Amino acid sequence: MTETPQNKSDNSSLKTPKVSFREIIRSYGLKRAAVFPIVALVFIAIILTYHFLLYNYTKTSILEEGRLNAGQISQEVELYMSSGTDTLKRCAYSMEKMLADGRGHDEAGDKGPGGTHDKVLQYLTEETDVIQHSILPESTGVYACVHEEYHDGSGWDPGPDYVPMERPWYTEAVDDPGKIVLVNPYLDLYSGDIVMTLSKCLEDGKSVVALDITLGRIQEIIESHTPKYESTINMVVAGNGVVVANTISSERGKDYNDENGTLGHAILSELSTADSGGNFDFAFQNGSYTACAVPLSNGWYCISVTDSEIVYRPINLMMLLSIAASILTLAVFLMIMFYSGRREAASKHMQSLLISSADIYMSLCDLDVIDNSVTEIKNVNPAIAKACASVNHNMKEVFLSIMQGLPDSPTKQAAIDFTDLRTIDDRMIDTDTATIEYLSYGNIWVRARLIVSERTKDGKVSHVLWMLENITKEREERESLIDMSERAVAASEAKSAFLSNMSHEIRTPINAVLGMNEMILRECDDDNIVTYSNNIKSAGNSLLSLINDILDFSKIESGKMEIIPVDYDFVSLLNDLVNMIKMRVEAKGLELILDIDPEIPRSLYGDEVRVKQIITNILTNAAKYTDQGSVTLKISYDKRLKVNDCLILMVSVKDTGIGIKKEDLPKLFGEFERVDEKRNRNIEGTGLGMSITKNLLSMMGSSLNVESEYGKGSEFSFKIVQTVRKWDPIGDYKAAMLLFSSEKNKYVPKFTASLAHILVVDDTYVNLVVFKGLLTRTEVQIDTADNGRRAIEMASEKKYDIIFLDHMMPDKDGIETLHDIRSKAGSPNRDTPAVCLTANALSGAKEFYMEAGFNDYLTKPIDSQQLEEMIYNFLPKELIETVDNP
Ligand code: ADP
C-alpha cells in the first residue's frame, strides 16, 4: 500500500466510551427522542378516556338498573295493593246495602238475633273466609265498626277495653269519607309481620269497614328481583318511614324516620333532592350512593339504592392497574430504547473517535474477514482509498497483492505474512492485537496494527480493525535516541574503565613513592631529610585519599558500591581512626577530645571499612575546617534498643571551626560541591567527601545529621545498626589509647622469620625494591621475579612459603602465572599460599581474586603493617622466631 507522511502523534484512545443520556438523545435526534413523552401521554390519555367512558357507562347502568328495579317493584306492589282496595270496595258496597236493608229497625232490633249486627258479623266472617282462601291469602280478615259496635270477620275478640272509634283505621276513614284510607303499616306483634290496614267509611258517615293485609307478599316481590349489582338494595318505604320490604329482610318494620345515622334515614332525607326521574346521588359515611325512587299511589316509595363506590371500585382498580401496566410497559419500552440507544450512541461515539483517530492514522478500515470485504472508516491517502474501493469480496487477495508489490527490504516478507488475512485465525487465537513495522512504498516506515473487534461464536475472527501509521519520523527519533543511549552507555563504560585504569596507573607509582619514602623514614637520621620525607608521606597520602574518593564516587555512581559486613574489633577501628586524625589535629594545635562509651561491645559485625571511612571523612573535615579549639569524637550506643544482638551506634563529631551558613547546608551533600568556596580555597578538597558519606550511610539505612552555627562550629552525627558478636565492653578506651600510642610511635617489626622463603613477582622494579625494603626487619628471605615466566621457573625449582604475585603484568599476568605454578606436575609450590598484589581497589575485587585461586589480596600502595600481618598469618608457625605483641 502507498502512503503519505501525514501522521501526527499517536495519542488516540479507542476505549469503549461511556455514553450519557444526553448523548443517547443526541444520537436519536430530537424528533425521535420526543417520541418517548408523546407515547407516554397517548398512553395515559387512552387510559383516562377509557376510564371516563367506563365510569359513565357504569353510572348510567346503575341508574337504569335502579329505575328498572324501582319501576318493576312499584308496578307489582301497585297491582298487589289494588287487589286489596278492590276487595275492600266490594266489602264496603255489600255492607252499605246490608245497612240500607236494615234501616227502620230500632236499636234493639239491630242487636237482637237476626238483627243487622248479626248479619254484619256473618257477612264479615264469610267474606274473611272468601278473601283468605281466594283473593288475598295474606289478609288477616275484614272487620268493621257499625253503630259504634266492633265486628271482626276473623273472630278476633278485642276485649272490653278496645274502643274502635279511637283507632286510626276508624278515625282516618271517618275523616275522609268515601275514600279508601290506607293506615300506616305497623308491626303486628301477634303475627310478627308488618300489617297494613285499608279502611273505608260507609255512607252513614259513622260505620267503617276495614281490611288488614300482612305485607309478606311485598317482601316476596322485592326478593324476587335479584339486583344486578351486589351493592344494590331495593326497598318499599311507607309514607311514615316504616320499611315495608327490603332486600335486607332484617330492615323490615324499621322506621327510618327514627333511625338517625343509618343509610335508611339518609335515603329518606335525600329523597327531596331527586330529579324528575326520581334519581338522586348522595354520600353517606365513606360511600357514595346512587338511588332511584318511584312514588306509589298510596304515598309509599319504592326505592332502589346502589353503593356506586363498590361498583366503581373494580373500575378504579382496573384503571390503576392499567396505568401501572402502561407505566411498566413504558418503562420497559424506555429501557429497551435506552439500551439500544446507548448501543447506537456508543457505536456512533466510537465511530467518531475512530474517524478522528484516522487523522493520526494514514488508514483506518474495518475488515470483514468472513465477507472478505472492507469498510473504510477514514483514509487520508487517496491510493489506499482507491485500493479499498476496488475491493469486491476479494479483500484478502487485494491486500496480499498490494503487499507483494512492496519494494524489497528485510521487512517485506514479514509484512506480507502479517497482511495475509487467510491465516488470521491461527495467528490471533490467543491475542486480539498484532503490530508490525515495515518499510513501505516511497521509503516510508509504516506501523500496521490489527485489532480483533469481533469473533464468531466458535472463536473465529470475523471483524478486524486495520490501522496504518506513518512512523518514519518516529523511527528516526527512536534510532537517534537509541544511538544516544548506546553512546551514553559506552561513555559510562569508558569512564569506569578509565577510572579503573587510572586507579591502577596512579596507585602503582604512588606505591613506589610512598614505599621508597617509608625506607627513607626508617633508615635516615638526618632531621631535614626526615622532615622532607614526612611531607612527601603527607602529600602522598592526600593524593591517595583523593584517588580513593574519586573511585568511591564512581562506584556509587555506577551502583557498584557494596556494603560488605565482616566481624571486626571495635577497638582496632577506634585505633585506626584516632591514629589517622590525631597527628592532623595536633599538627594544627587543636585538641582532640575522645568521649567513648566504655560499655560499647568490642566484637561487632558490620562493614568496618565503610564505617571507618564515614567517620574518617567527618573527622577529617572537622580538622580541616577548624583553626582553633577542639574536635570532639563521641561514640556511644542506644542502651534502650538492644534487640536481637544488634545495637544502634551513635557517632557524633563536634568541632569549634568555621561552621556552615544555614543557606549553604543544602549544598553540603552535592557532588563536587564546596561550600563557602572563597573562604575555603586554601583548604584542599574535592567536594566529594560528604556526598560519599551520605550515600554510604543511606546504604546502611541511615542518614547524616548536621547542626552548624556559622563562625562557631558544627556537629555531624549519625546512627547505624551493627550486630554484636560479643557483649564484652571495650572499657576505658582513652587510657588504653594513651598507652598504645606511646608504644606505637616507633616502628617495630611484628615478627622475625629468617628461615622463611617468599617469592614476590612484579613487572615494576621499584615495587620489588619497596616490597623487599618493607620486610627487611622481619629477616624473611625474599626472591623476586619481574615477569610470570621467570616466576614459574623459580617456583618449579624452589619451595616457597608464600608467593606474592602482581596481577597486571605483560605477557603472563598474575592469574595465569598462578595457574601454571599450581598446575605444573611435580611443582613444590602446588599448595603454597598465594597473595595477589593489585592496584584494583574497585568493588568485587576480593571475590574475583579468591575465585581465581588466590588465598588473599593486597592493594597497592602496600601498607607495611597489613603486609606483615598477612605474612604472619600465612607462614607456618614453626618458622616464626620472635613475635612483637602477639
Ligand atoms: P571537601 O572535600 O571540600 O571537604 P566535602 O564533601 O567533605 O568536601 O564537604 C563539602 C563542604 O562542606 C566543604 O567544602 C565545606 O565547605 C563544608 N564542610 C564540611 N565539613 C565541615 C565542617 N566540619 N565545618 C565547616 N564546613 C564543613
Side-chain angles (χ1 to χ4, degrees), residues 16-147:
T16 307
K18 274 192 172 178
V19 183
S20 67
F21 188 73
R22 195 177 294 177
E23 272 172 283
I24 294 169
I25 296 292
R26 203 182 301 140
S27 110
Y28 262 96
L30 253 180
K31 275 188 194 162
R32 285 176 73 186
V35 165
F36 303 134
I38 290 169
V39 167
L41 282 175
V42 167
F43 256 103
I44 290 166
I46 290 171
I47 291 164
L48 289 178
T49 312
Y50 175 70
H51 182 257
F52 178 74
L53 293 174
L54 196 64
Y55 183 86
N56 274 350
Y57 169 78
T58 311
K59 187 167 173 123
T60 314
S61 162
I62 291 170
L63 281 173
E64 276 176 3
E65 174 72 7
R67 241 178 263 147
L68 192 72
N69 281 339
Q72 281 180 354
I73 292 168
S74 67
Q75 276 176 17
E76 286 180 44
V77 171
E78 289 279 29
L79 193 68
Y80 179 65
M81 295 294 284
S82 66
S83 62
T85 334
D86 292 348
T87 306
L88 186 64
K89 272 183 188 166
R90 192 166 46 80
C91 285
Y93 176 71
S94 301
M95 288 277 294
E96 270 167 357
K97 264 189 85 182
M98 210 177 288
L99 289 179
D101 291 347
R103 206 168 290 152
H105 291 282
D106 57 11
E107 272 296 291
D110 266 0
K111 287 182 181 174
T116 311
H117 285 283
D118 269 0
K119 281 182 188 167
V120 167
L121 183 62
Q122 193 187 349
Y123 170 75
L124 290 173
T125 308
E126 284 169 9
E127 193 62 30
T128 299
D129 190 44
V130 171
I131 291 168
Q132 281 182 339
H133 288 98
S134 60
I135 310 162
L136 268 170
E138 298 84 9
S139 170
T140 52
V142 219
Y143 52 91
C145 178
V146 178
H147 301 149

Side-chain angles (χ1 to χ4, degrees), residues 525-682:
D525 292 331
D526 185 323
D527 285 350
N528 275 339
I529 294 175
V530 168
T531 310
Y532 300 149
S533 191
N534 267 327
N535 287 341
I536 293 172
K537 187 176 178 177
S538 154
N541 280 331
S542 291
L543 189 58
L544 204 57
S545 92
L546 195 87
I547 286 165
N548 283 342
D549 272 1
I550 292 174
L551 277 175
D552 282 345
F553 168 70
S554 81
K555 267 194 236 175
I556 288 168
E557 246 204 345
S558 59
K560 285 183 183 158
M561 178 67 90
E562 285 169 62
I563 296 299
I564 304 164
V566 290
D567 286 334
Y568 70 93
D569 183 11
F570 189 67
V571 177
S572 149
L573 178 134
L574 276 178
N575 284 345
D576 291 350
L577 284 174
V578 174
N579 282 339
M580 181 277 303
I581 202 65
K582 201 165 186 296
M583 271 173 44
R584 248 190 133 130
V585 170
E586 281 168 0
K588 282 184 89 175
L590 303 170
E591 188 190 356
L592 175 67
I593 302 169
L594 296 174
D595 180 359
I596 313 293
D597 184 347
E599 284 179 41
I600 296 173
R602 188 171 179 146
S603 189
L604 298 177
Y605 177 79
D607 191 335
E608 180 194 13
V609 175
R610 297 302 168 196
V611 173
K612 205 176 353 180
Q613 187 178 354
I614 291 166
I615 305 175
T616 305
N617 277 354
I618 304 173
L619 272 176
T620 314
N621 276 352
K624 272 201 309 194
Y625 298 106
T626 306
D627 294 329
Q628 51 189 10
S630 62
V631 170
T632 307
L633 172 66
K634 182 179 175 180
I635 308 180
S636 61
Y637 74 95
D638 195 332
K639 309 258 173 3
R640 293 165 304 169
L641 297 161
K642 291 200 274 185
V643 203
N644 291 340
D645 278 346
C646 281
L647 57 68
I648 297 175
L649 265 188
M650 300 191 292
V651 181
S652 125
V653 175
K654 201 171 178 178
D655 63 54
T656 54
I658 59 171
I660 306 162
K661 286 180 193 155
K662 241 196 184 100
E663 62 268 26
D664 286 338
L665 279 173
K667 291 191 208 163
L668 204 63
F669 303 114
E671 288 136 11
F672 300 104
E673 186 115 45
R674 304 199 70 207
V675 175
D676 215 352
E677 209 143 3
K678 251 190 206 164
R679 185 172 166 179
N680 298 337
R681 67 180 178 277
N682 293 329

Side-chain angles (χ1 to χ4, degrees), residues 359-372:
D359 287 344
I360 298 153
Y361 293 99
M362 293 160 56
S363 170
L364 190 61
C365 298
D366 173 35
L367 312 185
D368 188 331
V369 182
I370 291 173
D371 191 44
N372 207 7

Side-chain angles (χ1 to χ4, degrees), residues 744-763:
K744 271 275 163 162
N745 275 344
K746 219 162 62 214
Y747 167 74
V748 178
K750 185 169 174 61
F751 63 90
T752 54
S754 58
L755 297 176
H757 290 272
I758 287 177
L759 172 63
V760 57
V761 189
D762 198 316
D763 59 319

Side-chain angles (χ1 to χ4, degrees), residues 423-434 452 455 459 461:
T423 59
I424 194 159
D425 280 323
D426 297 333
R427 283 188 285 142
M428 310 282 272
I429 199 157
D430 292 327
T431 176
D432 281 340
T433 58
V452 176
R455 288 181 192 267
V461 176

Side-chain angles (χ1 to χ4, degrees), residues 45 68 111 254 262 305 312 322 328 404 559 663 681 781 802 827:
L68 192 72
K111 287 182 181 174
K254 284 185 181 171
T262 62
V305 190
Y312 294 143
S322 324
L328 204 73
Q404 276 162 349
E663 62 268 26
R681 67 180 178 277
Q781 297 183 44
I802 309 172
S827 163

